[in-house]
């Protein structure tokens, strides 16, 4: 078994660390302006203007079974959907607001259809729920609020009662965790207790556990769905650490105790989380696969985001990106599922430009080639430890020698404990080739 001990938390995280790969879905009214899910904030759009999206939201091409099949084919084992994002619009049929999909031309509970379809494909279900709400009349105006720069912002803020809003959130979380069967993940987003308006705008307060009444919110969630995984973004430490839009170089550790934690990187294909028509910063196939591999090599999960269009489809760029995962995972998922960071006594042998993952039971080591080496891969310290080596994508043998590359070897290419893998001159046709080492 892996020698790494992960910090114990209230939720059931064992399945999660095994499964490694999930789909994030950011879908809401912001798919219509199609220029970032924060558009209401960025452009300070007034309520009456933003209302046009509510009036015309009609995802007539929404086929969640198709989404679920695509996610499953890409190798994803769970999916987390935005039930409500910062704009405040609910993608589910809540009895506590009229600002919901059932009152738009969509006319149905989109979350319910998502849950049914993804569950039918055997994927686990996660709900993203925004703590921030730019629509709710009791949500106090702060520095992220679309109304922050209105000349009468202070007056508009009078009478807004965060306690009423906190109760609204509890009511909605109760709905979400009661009406849709077993929910595996609750993804709150996010807190900023220390950010406030600054000189002249001190009244614009940041928000965190006190404002959200996070303890009560979390207690409710735990009561309704024991074992559910909850992230840390409600400003109360729970099960899940969530580094966003950057790649780590080591296992994420607990800030005070230094323990390894359960963590999940979230990443976008192109920058925006919601559907963005005009973004051209789409990641290459190599980058996509490297993010997944690098994450698992550091003991984490990857939550890869898709922003469906307002008509309810993954656009062609998203489909292409997902098919990159599909092809790669078809051949290489063995180096992802049930794998984690390589054991401490193996890590020093890591060749340049590579990432290791290792099976939880320790029996197999996977070498991922981020740059294709010239001829040989040198693994110092690994001589005598590998029984058999093969490329994972086609199961073809990789010949090994020990001690030196050949008669002329000098320096690092020579050493009693050196294991040498002899690679074909041409890189296999895959963004990241993987070598599977069966350990003795
Ligand atoms: C952020 C953003 C947001 C996105 C999210 C995903 O905090 O506010 O738009 O939903 O993180 O991790």
């Amino acid at each position: 078994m892996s020698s790494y001990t992960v910090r114990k938390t209230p939720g059931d995280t064992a399945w999660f660390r095994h499964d490694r790969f999930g789909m994030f879905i950011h879908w809401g009214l912001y798919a219509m302006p199609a220029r970032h899910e924060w558009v209401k904030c960025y452009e300070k759009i007034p309520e009456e203007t933003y209302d046009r999206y509510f009036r015309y939201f009609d995802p007539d091409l929404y086929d969640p079974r198709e989404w679920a099949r695509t996610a499953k084919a890409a190798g994803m084992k769970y999916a987390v959907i935005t039930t409500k994002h910062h704009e405040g619009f609910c993608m589910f049929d809540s009895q506590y607001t009229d600002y919901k999909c059932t009152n738009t031309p969509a006319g149905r509970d989109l979350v319910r259809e998502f849950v049914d379809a993804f569950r039918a494909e055997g994927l686990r279900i996660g709900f993203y729920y925004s703590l921030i709400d730019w629509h709710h009349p009791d949500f106090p105006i702060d520095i992220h609020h679309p109304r922050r720069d209105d000349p009468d912002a202070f007056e508009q803020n009078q009478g807004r009662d965060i306690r009423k809003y906190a109760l609204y959130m509890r009511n909605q979380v109760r709905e979400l965790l009661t009406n849709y069967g077993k929910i595996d993940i609750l993804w709150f987003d996010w807190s900023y207790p220390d950010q406030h308006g600054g000189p002249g705008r001190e009244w614009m307060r940041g928000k965190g556990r006190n404002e959200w009444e996070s303890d009560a919110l979390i207690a409710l969630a735990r009561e309704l769905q024991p074992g559910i995984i909850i992230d840390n973004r409600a400003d109360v430490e729970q099960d899940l650490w969530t580094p966003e839009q950057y790649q780590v170089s080591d296992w994420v550790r607990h800030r005070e105790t230094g323990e390894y934690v359960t963590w999940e990187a979230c990443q976008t294909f192109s920058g925006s989380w919601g559907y963005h028509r005009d973004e051209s910063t789409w990641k290459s196939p190599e980058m996509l696969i490297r993010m997944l591999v690098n994450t698992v090599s550091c003991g984490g999960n990857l939550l890869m985001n898709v922003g469906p269009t307002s008509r309810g489809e993954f656009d062609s760029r998203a489909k292409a990106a997902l098919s990159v995962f599909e092809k790669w995972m078809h051949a290489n998922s063995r180096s992802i599922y049930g794998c984690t960071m390589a054991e401490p006594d193996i890590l020093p042998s890591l060749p340049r430009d590579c990432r290791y993952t290792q099976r939880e039971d320790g029996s197999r080591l996977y070498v991922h080639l981020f740059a294709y080496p010239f001829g040989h891969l040198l693994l110092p310290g690994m001589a005598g430890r590998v029984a058999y080596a093969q490329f994972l994508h086609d199961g073809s043998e990789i010949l090994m020698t020990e001690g030196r590359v050949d008669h002329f070897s000098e320096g690092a290419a020579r050493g009693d404990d050196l294991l040498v893998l002899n690679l074909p001159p041409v890189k296999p046709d895959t963004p990241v080739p993987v070598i599977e080492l069966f350990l003795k």
Side-chain angles (χ1 to χ4, degrees), residues 201-329:
R201 301 207 295 188
E202 287 83 1
W203 60 270
M204 290 190 190
R205 305 273 300 281
K207 296 177 178 62
R209 60 188 300 172
N210 297 332
E211 288 71 23
W212 312 136
E213 301 180 21
S214 298
D215 290 322
L217 194 55
I218 287 167
L220 172 70
R222 294 249 173 251
E223 177 197 320
L224 296 171
Q225 299 268 348
I228 195 169
I229 295 175
I230 304 180
D231 69 348
N232 291 345
R233 292 193 181 190
D235 195 24
V236 176
E237 189 181 305
Q238 288 294 298
D239 306 302
L240 191 57
W241 279 249
T242 57
E244 176 176 324
Q245 299 277 42
Y246 70 92
Q247 285 289 299
V248 307
S249 50
D250 200 358
W251 198 314
V252 178
R253 286 165 181 260
H254 191 270
R255 215 176 276 170
E256 279 110 47
T257 67
E259 289 162 290
Y260 296 112
V261 297
T262 300
W263 68 274
E264 177 190 61
C266 48
Q267 292 278 0
T268 58
F269 288 144
S270 66
S272 166
W273 298 88
Y275 175 66
H276 198 308
R277 183 187 58 204
D278 302 332
E279 228 162 33
S280 56
T281 45
W282 283 68
K283 296 178 179 72
S284 68
E286 284 75 17
M287 289 173 80
L288 296 176
I289 302 300
R290 284 180 193 188
M291 290 194 307
L292 175 60
V293 168
N294 183 64
T295 297
V296 179
S297 82
C298 296
N301 284 36
L302 179 66
L303 189 61
M304 192 72 235
N305 182 71
V306 183
T309 69
S310 71
R311 295 197 58 194
E313 286 192 307
F314 299 166
D315 83 342
S316 59
R317 298 166 298 182
K319 281 187 186 144
L322 287 163
S323 78
V324 168
F325 285 111
E326 176 177 349
K327 282 200 202 89
W328 191 86
M329 286 294 276

Side-chain angles (χ1 to χ4, degrees), residues 174-200:
R174 184 179 300 104
E175 292 181 311
L176 287 168
L177 299 188
T178 305
N179 298 343
Y180 300 88
K182 180 164 188 266
I183 303 304
D184 300 285
I185 301 171
L186 183 55
W187 225 97
F188 288 124
D189 196 31
W190 51 283
S191 304
Y192 42 103
D194 303 328
Q195 300 178 14
H196 46 77

Side-chain angles (χ1 to χ4, degrees), residues 151-171:
D152 63 344
F154 180 78
E155 287 71 31
Q156 285 186 53
N157 198 47
Q158 298 315 301
R160 288 178 185 242
D161 184 350
I162 187 85
R163 283 164 307 180
K164 284 195 193 146
Y165 175 66
L167 175 63
Y168 172 75
M169 290 203 289
R170 287 199 294 280
N171 283 333

